[in-house]
Amino acid sequence: MIRIGLLGASRIARGAIIEPVACNDSFEVVAVAARSPSRAREYADTHRIPIVEPDYAALIANPAIDLVYVGLPPSEHREWTVAALQAGKHVLCEKPFAMNALEAESMVVAASETGKTLIEAFHYRFHPLFARIMEVLSAGSIGPVQHIDCRFNVPIAYEPAELRFNRHLGGGAMMDLGCYPAHWARTIAGEEPRVVSARADWHDSGVDTAMEAQLEFPSGITATLSCSMAEDLPDGLDTVLTVTGERGTLEVNNPLVPHIGHELTVKTELGLSSETADKKSTYHYQLLHVADVLENDAKQLTGGADAVENMRVLDAVYSAAASCRGPG
């Protein structure tokens, strides 16, 4: 049994951890801590979590916990991930992994020094849909990859308390949404890119509400990443991945959360085919991967150098966008 402690009484923890744990006998959520003890108590009562710790430090010190889930704002990921690792806990850390690549490096170093596992919660990566995408591309049906187009748009209303509109907490469209397209492109290309250019729309709060970036990989593959959290977007998720090869295209509607509906389409000179994968939750498969890594020493699909490199891309995109930002 892998016993989980939740850092933060977060909305994401319910879908990412609490609900899939209820269907997985390998895990148990045993404790929660929040910035407000009363908030932690209310959360524990709602989700039937037996232990409420008075603060984050007490939770990571609890010997009854094997794995800490860090669902805090990105600005707190490095501090509490490192503290949990040094306390002898494994860590599943939400995306974006850190505030920048330097923080990410320090987190990965701490995992190496403590011998504990540190996984980045890119839940999409563990679903059979993405495994199928990689399988189709490896089979060569669309030929060598030439270009990857990735987008993730979802409207987010501005509120002063909304962390995605607070740059000091790690907000911004590229951080919260664009980290996924960056990861899709890097995973498919299998190498690290150079950011050729980037352009952002900036909010009065100082965060980017939209970003578009052009990438180039050493092999010559190019990629376009785009994301937006503009309030005037149509309701609902808009997540699409398109891979263009020499002999055709692969397109995936909703590679992010395929369990709420998706389609993988391949178009070549031989015709058009479409398919769907398993409709179990990406978070279900994320927990299966965590268990496989912890119990069977399986190879990690996220975290480590991969997490650092993804943050390097985000850093470079922001740098390129800032360099062409006009006055004001």
Side-chain angles (χ1 to χ4, degrees):
M1 178 72 68
I2 299 169
R3 300 163 298 178
I4 301 175
L6 305 178
L7 277 189
S10 61
R11 288 175 294 178
I12 185 61
R14 182 182 66 181
I17 300 295
I18 295 170
E19 291 176 357
V21 161
C23 302
N24 190 319
D25 292 338
S26 295
F27 293 90
E28 181 184 5
V29 177
V30 298
V32 62
R35 186 177 300 276
S36 162
S38 61
R39 166 64 177 149
R41 169 52 62 192
E42 178 184 3
Y43 195 86
D45 290 344
T46 298
H47 299 294
R48 299 179 180 179
I49 300 172
I51 300 172
V52 178
E53 293 291 4
D55 52 39
Y56 300 155
L59 185 138
I60 64 175
N62 188 332
I65 294 169
D66 306 304
L67 171 72
V68 171
Y69 171 72
V70 179
L72 304 172
S75 57
E76 299 187 64
H77 284 186
R78 185 202 62 80
E79 176 184 359
W80 292 106
T81 292
V82 170
L85 292 166
Q86 292 177 341
K89 315 300 184 189
H90 303 294
V91 176
L92 176 62
C93 182
E94 266 302 334
K95 42 57 59 183
F97 196 63
M99 292 290 280
N100 51 55
L102 284 177
E103 285 194 356
E105 287 177 348
S106 69
M107 294 158 67
V108 172
V109 167
S112 177
E113 290 178 343
T114 59
K116 294 299 174 180
T117 297
L118 171 57
I119 297 174
E120 185 172 12
F122 270 130
H123 54 100
Y124 86 90
R125 183 67 180 89
F126 314 113
H127 195 275
L129 174 63
F130 212 83
R132 178 58 179 154
I133 292 169
M134 299 301 288
E135 182 181 40
V136 171
L137 294 174
S138 296
S141 58
I142 68 168
V145 174
Q146 296 177 323
H147 184 73
I148 306 166
D149 195 283
C150 316
R151 77 171 184 262
F152 181 5
N153 300 329
V154 62
I156 299 174
Y158 171 74
E159 295 179 9
E162 172 56 64
L163 75 86
R164 285 169 287 194
F165 284 91
N166 188 326
R167 63 187 179 90
H168 301 293
L169 296 181
M174 190 66 201
M175 285 285 280
D176 191 63
L177 310 179
C179 61
Y180 284 103
H183 203 258
W184 299 340
R186 291 181 48 255
T187 302
I188 289 169
E191 51 188 0
E192 303 307 331
R194 174 177 70 93
V195 175
V196 177
S197 64
R199 186 196 67 80
D201 294 336
W202 302 97
H203 190 264
D204 290 343
S205 63
V207 306
D208 55 306
T209 54
M211 185 76 76
E212 181 172 304
Q214 305 298 325
L215 276 55
E216 183 176 33
F217 292 86
S219 62
I221 296 171
T222 57
T224 300
L225 315 180
S226 63
C227 57
S228 176
M229 60 182 195
E231 292 186 72
D232 58 356
L233 289 171
D235 288 340
L237 290 173
D238 173 24
T239 65
V240 179
L241 165 64
T242 304
V243 183
T244 302
E246 286 185 359
R247 297 190 297 275
T249 60
L250 176 151
E251 182 172 288
V252 185
N253 180 23
N254 195 12
L256 179 72
V257 280
H259 49 278
I260 66 171
H262 70 277
E263 185 176 29
L264 188 163
T265 303
V266 177
K267 183 178 181 181
T268 69
E269 60 183 11
L270 300 177
L272 182 70
S273 65
S274 65
E275 60 184 275
T276 58
D278 188 286
K279 293 185 178 179
K280 288 183 180 178
S281 165
T282 51
Y283 301 110
H284 165 80
Y285 286 103
Q286 178 170 265
L287 281 185
L288 291 182
H289 179 70
V290 171
D292 202 21
V293 171
L294 296 185
E295 297 177 343
N296 304 317
D297 201 27
K299 180 182 177 181
Q300 286 183 224
L301 295 179
T302 64
D306 175 70
V308 176
E309 293 298 338
N310 213 61
M311 287 310 308
R312 284 198 178 121
V313 172
L314 269 61
D315 289 351
V317 167
Y318 275 115
S319 179
S323 70
C324 66
R325 185 177 183 178

